[in-house]
Amino acid sequence: MILLGSDTETKPSLAMREAMAKAIVGDEQKGTDPTVNTLLENVARLLGKEKALFLPSGTMCNFVAIKAHTRPTETIIAEDMSHIIRAESAGIAMSSGVLIEHISTKNGQFTREQLLATINKIKTVPHPYSPKPSLVCLEQTHNLRGGTVWSLEQLKSISETAKENNLKIHVDGARLLNACVATHSKASEFGKHVDSLWIDFTKGLGAPLGAVLAGSAEFIEDCRLLKHSFGGALRQAGIVAAGCQYALDHHIIRLEEDHINAQILATELERMEGIEVLNPKPETNMVFFKATTMDVRELQTRIKEESIEIGLVGEYLRAVTHLDITTSDIEKTLEVIKKLKL
Ligand SMILES: *Cc1c(COP(=O)(O)O)cnc(C)c1O
């Protein structure tokens, strides 16, 4: 099978498994797992933050961080198609007791003007009738809008606007490192302008599990307690942290290959009769497309009959490149789609 459904399809390589097998471990819950602690120091430095916290998943990073930044009765602001709204089973509502105000965009990035208009909308009636806006959430890269990137300039502008209005900023950085590779910028440059951010090791980085959240020492201490109360404290987590460390050392630089493969896929699909590509110039590792003459589900099934799995997102198929996808897999995929004679 060629698995283009998601970059979570990556399997730990033999070298990563060897690193995991050799890991020196302690007790993560007590803060005495040396492999976890080293990973946390490295990620905090990478993201330009004081401290970091190891969590089982990116979803839990969002829950813990948003809860630490807010109080029930408040409102947070996020893009309409963001993961926290569309793909976390309303977990934010349950864990934080806040409302979410949506901002609609074409590509996933909103402007200072849109943010200001949203803050004003939240404050339509006087306090205390209106909820207090307290946090802005950004997604880097923006998944459901095509793996699109917040540029440093866009982020700076939102960061200044947030500060002027006493809002904190949290970044869902599931694919932050894809954005860094695509824009040739340092992750700490992005980290500098926000209060909290996290990276996921189970996407293009190719580890079997783990995510790391970073922020100020005080914020991370709050998050540690919340993580414990959500049942996210771990024991000999060094086994998995070693996989994450291996990914940091070996898999960041190669994300560029995934972006090139996505570009090849998009460019060639765009040339084909009967195919519409939503993002013909993919910024990172995702290509959204559909057929103009065939139902998208049927297209997905026909492709799957040839042992190629591609995910369905709304009215489009979403193909995601990752470290288990080679350029020849992309060529094979293109051949299969071409043969459908759409
Ligand atoms: C995958 C993803 C998450 C959730 O991460 P998990 O590690 O799967 O819990 C959050 N946000 C975005 C944008 C994602 O793509």
mmCIF file of all heavy atoms in Angstrom, residues 145 245 255 302 307 320 342:
data_model
loop_
_atom_site.group_PDB
_atom_site.id
_atom_site.type_symbol
_atom_site.label_atom_id
_atom_site.label_comp_id
_atom_site.label_asym_id
_atom_site.label_seq_id
_atom_site.Cartn_x
_atom_site.Cartn_y
_atom_site.Cartn_z
ATOM 1 N N ARG A 145 -6.765 23.734 5.605
ATOM 2 C CA ARG A 145 -6.708 24.745 4.537
ATOM 3 C C ARG A 145 -5.537 24.502 3.588
ATOM 4 O O ARG A 145 -5.159 25.382 2.836
ATOM 5 C CB ARG A 145 -6.618 26.155 5.124
ATOM 6 C CG ARG A 145 -7.814 26.575 5.972
ATOM 7 C CD ARG A 145 -8.925 27.170 5.140
ATOM 8 N NE ARG A 145 -9.960 27.752 5.976
ATOM 9 C CZ ARG A 145 -11.249 27.772 5.630
ATOM 10 N NH1 ARG A 145 -11.647 27.229 4.495
ATOM 11 N NH2 ARG A 145 -12.134 28.320 6.409
ATOM 12 N N GLN A 245 13.647 12.181 20.060
ATOM 13 C CA GLN A 245 14.982 12.779 19.935
ATOM 14 C C GLN A 245 15.626 12.348 18.614
ATOM 15 O O GLN A 245 16.254 13.154 17.930
ATOM 16 C CB GLN A 245 15.863 12.351 21.130
ATOM 17 C CG GLN A 245 17.233 12.995 21.146
ATOM 18 C CD GLN A 245 17.172 14.509 21.271
ATOM 19 O OE1 GLN A 245 16.525 15.053 22.169
ATOM 20 N NE2 GLN A 245 17.803 15.223 20.334
ATOM 21 N N LEU A 255 12.320 17.018 5.755
ATOM 22 C CA LEU A 255 10.939 17.440 5.467
ATOM 23 C C LEU A 255 10.851 18.121 4.100
ATOM 24 O O LEU A 255 9.820 18.081 3.431
ATOM 25 C CB LEU A 255 10.423 18.397 6.555
ATOM 26 C CG LEU A 255 10.179 17.777 7.939
ATOM 27 C CD1 LEU A 255 9.874 18.853 8.969
ATOM 28 C CD2 LEU A 255 9.042 16.751 7.890
ATOM 29 N N ARG A 302 -11.656 4.137 -6.345
ATOM 30 C CA ARG A 302 -10.940 3.647 -7.536
ATOM 31 C C ARG A 302 -9.416 3.681 -7.313
ATOM 32 O O ARG A 302 -8.699 2.781 -7.748
ATOM 33 C CB ARG A 302 -11.317 4.506 -8.764
ATOM 34 C CG ARG A 302 -12.801 4.436 -9.142
ATOM 35 C CD ARG A 302 -13.135 3.188 -9.950
ATOM 36 N NE ARG A 302 -12.453 3.172 -11.229
ATOM 37 C CZ ARG A 302 -12.888 3.793 -12.324
ATOM 38 N NH1 ARG A 302 -13.998 4.506 -12.290
ATOM 39 N NH2 ARG A 302 -12.216 3.705 -13.451
ATOM 40 N N SER A 307 -4.281 -0.011 -4.535
ATOM 41 C CA SER A 307 -3.418 -0.024 -3.343
ATOM 42 C C SER A 307 -2.815 1.330 -2.990
ATOM 43 O O SER A 307 -1.669 1.409 -2.523
ATOM 44 C CB SER A 307 -2.288 -1.050 -3.500
ATOM 45 O OG SER A 307 -2.830 -2.315 -3.691
ATOM 46 N N VAL A 320 -1.144 13.421 1.595
ATOM 47 C CA VAL A 320 -0.112 13.985 2.474
ATOM 48 C C VAL A 320 1.177 13.190 2.270
ATOM 49 O O VAL A 320 1.185 11.964 2.410
ATOM 50 C CB VAL A 320 -0.544 13.915 3.954
ATOM 51 C CG1 VAL A 320 0.455 14.653 4.837
ATOM 52 C CG2 VAL A 320 -1.942 14.486 4.144
ATOM 53 N N LEU A 342 -10.139 10.367 -16.567
ATOM 54 C CA LEU A 342 -11.244 11.195 -16.066
ATOM 55 C C LEU A 342 -11.672 12.230 -17.110
ATOM 56 O O LEU A 342 -10.893 12.626 -17.940
ATOM 57 C CB LEU A 342 -10.815 11.882 -14.764
ATOM 58 C CG LEU A 342 -10.521 10.887 -13.639
ATOM 59 C CD1 LEU A 342 -9.658 11.519 -12.571
ATOM 60 C CD2 LEU A 342 -11.811 10.378 -13.008
#
